[in-house]
């Protein structure tokens, strides 16, 4: 029998050996946990399509923040769901709106927590689109003015990072200029640079009450078939002043995480989105998968592809598993 072959199994021979040579790790510091806050009082309501994820009113938000901080999670991504919606999303840039009040509340109680503000209009407009509509079409440049106002208002409330998700052309440049003029030169921008018009957002739209009332978002979010276009989008955001680059969703688009990692030096963020979470929860509830092993395998896959940070609804569970 020939012995002229490589013995790769030597480095897999025991748990200790595998730990010694492991190339990628998921750390608690890598995780960003999304939060949904709503108006009203005494509200903690589970989102039906996202088991374990809740809407919180401000008077019960402390329960969630206490658990998040105790788990060691250091960053949260804020989504506000207002009661009042109108044509131009007024509550997005109202200094006293639900998102701004939630940011102030968290920063007062947890000053070390990194609060990232999602900056978009879809959950604030009565039509559910991410910008202003004129004759049924999203007006890119008119929308930029409102997005800048939203970002400045969020920064004024204490947001540590502004995360524009609207996919308007020029959104990073406009927001950077607006933040700088308002005195927030120190606030970085985490751009949803490569965001696809994806079917993986279904449960999120239930959570954010942001389903478009007409048409779809394909004129501003990217075609899932395109990869080179994603590099052009990211290059524009880098040139305009982005501090982070995000790929959304994650699982079906890991090639884009790798392409961004290889093409740019900025921190790369991947959003492990709602349907990715819900599918795992549903399969685990039926006993078809081992939830912990599936989730950890997915997250380390993001790291292997080149992600520095992972936005995930699994963050609290992962924190418990990592602490064992």
């Amino acid at each position: 029998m020939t012995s002229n072959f490589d013995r790769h199994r030597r480095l897999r021979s025991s748990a200790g050996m595998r730990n010694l040579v492991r190339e990628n790790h998921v750390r608690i510091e890598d995780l960003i946990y999304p939060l949904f806050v709503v108006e009203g009082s005494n509200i903690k309501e589970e989102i039906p399509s996202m088991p374990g994820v809740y809407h919180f009113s401000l008077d019960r938000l402390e329960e969630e923040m206490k658990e998040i901080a105790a788990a060691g999670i250091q960053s949260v991504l804020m989504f506000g769901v207002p009661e009042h919606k109108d044509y131009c999303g007024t509550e997005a840039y109202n200094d006293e709106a639900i998102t701004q009040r939630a940011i102030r509340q968290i920063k007062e109680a947890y000053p070390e927590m990194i609060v990232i503000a999602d900056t978009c209009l879809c959950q604030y407009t009565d039509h559910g689109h991410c910008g202003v509509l004129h004759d049924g079409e999203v007006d890119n440049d008119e929308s930029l003015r409102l997005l800048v106002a939203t970002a400045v208002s969020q920064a004024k409330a204490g947001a540590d990072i502004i995360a524009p998700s609207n996919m308007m052309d020029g959104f990073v440049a406009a927001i950077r200029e607006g933040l700088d003029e308002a005195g927030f030169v120190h606030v970085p921008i985490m751009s949803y640079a490569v965001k696809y018009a994806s079917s993986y957002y279904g449960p999120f739209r239930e959570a954010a009450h942001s389903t478009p009332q007409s048409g779809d978002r394909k004129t501003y979010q990217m075609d899932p078939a395109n990869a080179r276009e994603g590099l052009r989008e990211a290059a524009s955001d880098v040139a305009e002043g982005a501090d982070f680059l995000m790929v959304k969703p994650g699982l079906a688009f890991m090639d884009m995480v790798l392409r961004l990692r290889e093409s740019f030096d900025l921190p790369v963020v991947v959003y492990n989105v709602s349907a990715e979470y819900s599918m795992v929860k549903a399969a685990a509830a039926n006993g078809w998968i081992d939830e912990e092993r599936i989730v950890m395998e997915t997250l380390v896959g993001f790291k292997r592809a080149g992600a520095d940070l992972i936005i995930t609804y699994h963050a609290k569970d992962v924190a418990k598993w990592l602490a064992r």
Side-chain angles (χ1 to χ4, degrees):
M1 178 181 142
T2 179
S3 60
N4 186 25
F5 53 83
D6 295 327
R7 295 282 183 182
H8 298 291
R9 291 181 58 192
R10 290 185 188 121
L11 299 185
R12 305 177 199 139
S13 58
S14 67
M17 186 68 77
R18 293 190 291 275
N19 289 338
L20 188 67
V21 300
R22 184 158 295 135
E23 298 176 20
N24 292 282
H25 300 268
V26 177
R27 307 176 309 152
I28 188 70
E29 295 87 350
D30 303 330
L31 306 178
I32 300 169
Y33 187 60
L35 279 175
F36 297 95
V37 291
V38 296
E39 298 188 61
S41 61
N42 196 29
I43 296 172
K44 179 185 177 183
E45 291 179 349
E46 190 173 42
I47 298 161
S49 57
M50 301 176 70
V53 179
Y54 295 83
H55 284 133
F56 287 95
S57 53
L58 293 181
D59 58 336
R60 298 198 61 179
L61 183 57
E62 170 59 16
E63 298 172 33
E64 181 77 335
M65 288 307 304
K66 189 175 180 181
E67 183 179 345
I68 291 169
I73 296 170
Q74 300 178 4
S75 307
V76 294
L77 175 60
M78 293 297 313
F79 294 97
V81 185
E83 282 184 350
H84 173 72
K85 301 185 183 215
D86 59 25
Y87 191 73
C88 53
T90 304
E91 288 299 280
Y93 39 90
N94 176 356
D95 289 348
E96 299 304 319
I98 183 67
T99 305
Q100 285 80 350
R101 284 186 288 152
I103 293 170
R104 282 197 294 271
Q105 181 173 316
I106 293 173
K107 291 302 293 184
E108 286 172 7
Y110 299 91
E112 301 303 318
M113 182 70 65
I114 298 295
V115 177
I116 305 166
D118 177 86
T119 304
C120 196
L121 299 180
C122 60
Q123 63 264 45
Y124 305 97
T125 56
D126 53 12
H127 47 74
H129 279 285
C130 303
V132 179
L133 287 184
H134 290 311
D135 299 325
E137 298 292 331
V138 174
D139 186 320
N140 188 92
D141 294 5
E142 175 63 17
S143 301
L144 292 180
R145 182 178 63 81
L146 302 182
L147 291 166
V148 170
T150 302
V152 170
S153 179
Q154 292 169 336
K156 195 185 304 179
D160 297 287
I161 299 173
I162 297 299
S165 60
N166 49 85
M167 290 296 282
M168 296 297 113
D169 288 338
F171 64 155
V172 173
I175 288 173
R176 184 71 274 158
E177 184 176 340
L179 289 173
D180 290 352
E181 287 180 353
F184 297 107
V185 294
H186 60 286
V187 175
I189 294 175
M190 179 184 287
S191 174
Y192 286 60
V194 183
K195 181 178 180 180
Y196 288 92
S198 171
S199 298
Y200 282 96
Y201 304 148
F204 174 88
R205 289 175 182 168
E206 179 184 14
H209 301 170
S210 61
T211 302
Q213 299 305 300
S214 62
D216 53 43
R217 296 187 171 124
K218 293 180 180 177
T219 64
Y220 44 103
Q221 295 179 359
M222 281 179 48
D223 184 341
N226 292 351
R228 295 191 301 271
E229 181 185 21
L231 293 178
R232 296 198 298 273
E233 289 275 359
S236 293
D237 289 358
V238 172
E240 292 173 15
D243 299 282
F244 302 80
L245 296 173
M246 189 190 302
V247 175
K248 181 181 179 182
L251 273 176
F253 303 94
M254 282 205 201
D255 64 313
M256 293 311 301
V257 177
L258 178 60
R259 286 169 190 249
L260 260 58
R261 175 73 293 142
E262 292 178 341
S263 301
F264 304 100
D265 291 331
L266 294 180
V268 174
V269 186
V270 64
Y271 199 144
N272 179 209
V273 299
S274 57
E276 296 168 2
Y277 171 85
S278 300
M279 290 190 293
V280 168
K281 285 291 184 183
N286 281 286
W288 297 335
I289 61 171
D290 181 318
E291 180 178 352
E292 178 178 345
R293 294 181 65 177
I294 286 282
V295 171
M296 294 308 296
E297 192 172 314
T298 299
L299 299 194
V300 82
F302 292 140
K303 296 289 288 188
R304 194 184 66 245
D308 298 291
L309 302 170
I310 304 168
I311 302 169
T312 179
Y313 302 96
H314 295 292
K316 289 195 297 182
D317 289 333
V318 173
K320 294 173 188 170
W321 299 332
L322 291 175
R324 286 205 300 260

